[in-house]
Amino acid sequence: MKPAARRKARKLAVQAIYSWQLSDNSMSDIEAQFLTDNDTSKIDVDYFLALVRGVAGQVKSLDDALFPFLDRPLAELDHVERAVLRLAVFELRERLDVPYKVAINEAIELAKSFGADESHRFVNGVLDKAIDSLRPTRK
């Protein structure tokens, strides 16, 4: 699939993760809703599913990986920042087919799109500090 299809998958995934964080709904229900409510013809649906299922399935270990690099408790993060960081950490740790610079840049762009004014700077700072532990090979 084209990079644009993956970018759209990430954008939809961060929205689904955000929704999952705020609701008591299962990720499978949220997946179904997002895939029904959105035109998926230009989205890498398999990648979207891998991201949301990966984040939901590994949320505790993703949060544990983030913890040392945060300046405040995870619960105090904005919900958008938390969703973006969880997605980025999953991608950096588990999707070695994605260059680390792409994963970080995409996270920054998602924070710019959905977050508060300075969210992208916060996300960039956290990922910059965390990259060596998340992707030691830097590929």
Side-chain angles (χ1 to χ4, degrees), residues 113-125:
S113 293
F114 297 114
D117 288 344
E118 299 299 315
S119 287
H120 67 284
R121 290 191 175 143
F122 175 74
V123 166
N124 186 36

Side-chain angles (χ1 to χ4, degrees), residues 10-122:
R10 282 184 193 95
K11 192 171 186 175
L12 199 61
V14 86
Q15 293 173 68
I17 294 163
Y18 175 86
S19 176
W20 175 70
Q21 290 173 166
L22 292 176
S23 72
D24 288 328
N25 298 332
S26 70
M27 185 54 88
S28 59
D29 288 346
I30 291 170
E31 281 173 22
Q33 176 193 347
F34 272 75
L35 293 176
T36 302
D37 294 350
N38 292 279
D39 174 9
T40 59
S41 63
K42 295 182 180 174
I43 295 172
D44 184 339
V45 173
D46 291 336
Y47 201 65
F48 164 78
L49 292 172
L51 293 173
V52 295
R53 290 174 182 172
V55 168
Q58 297 181 31
V59 69
K60 173 78 170 97
S61 75
L62 298 174
D63 290 352
D64 289 347
L66 271 172
F67 177 76
F69 308 103
L70 298 175
D71 61 0
R72 58 190 178 265
L74 192 70
E76 292 180 15
L77 293 184
D78 175 84
H79 288 288
V80 171
E81 291 170 350
R82 192 176 324 149
V84 169
L85 286 169
R86 285 173 167 166
L87 180 91
V89 170
F90 175 78
E91 228 177 352
L92 288 165
R93 283 197 337 189
E94 306 296 331
R95 297 301 304 222
L96 300 181
D97 57 315
V98 177
Y100 79 95
K101 288 182 180 181
V102 170
I104 291 172
N105 187 57
E106 290 290 323
I108 292 166
E109 292 304 316
L110 287 166
K112 284 180 182 177
S113 293
F114 297 114
D117 288 344
E118 299 299 315
S119 287
H120 67 284
R121 290 191 175 143
F122 175 74

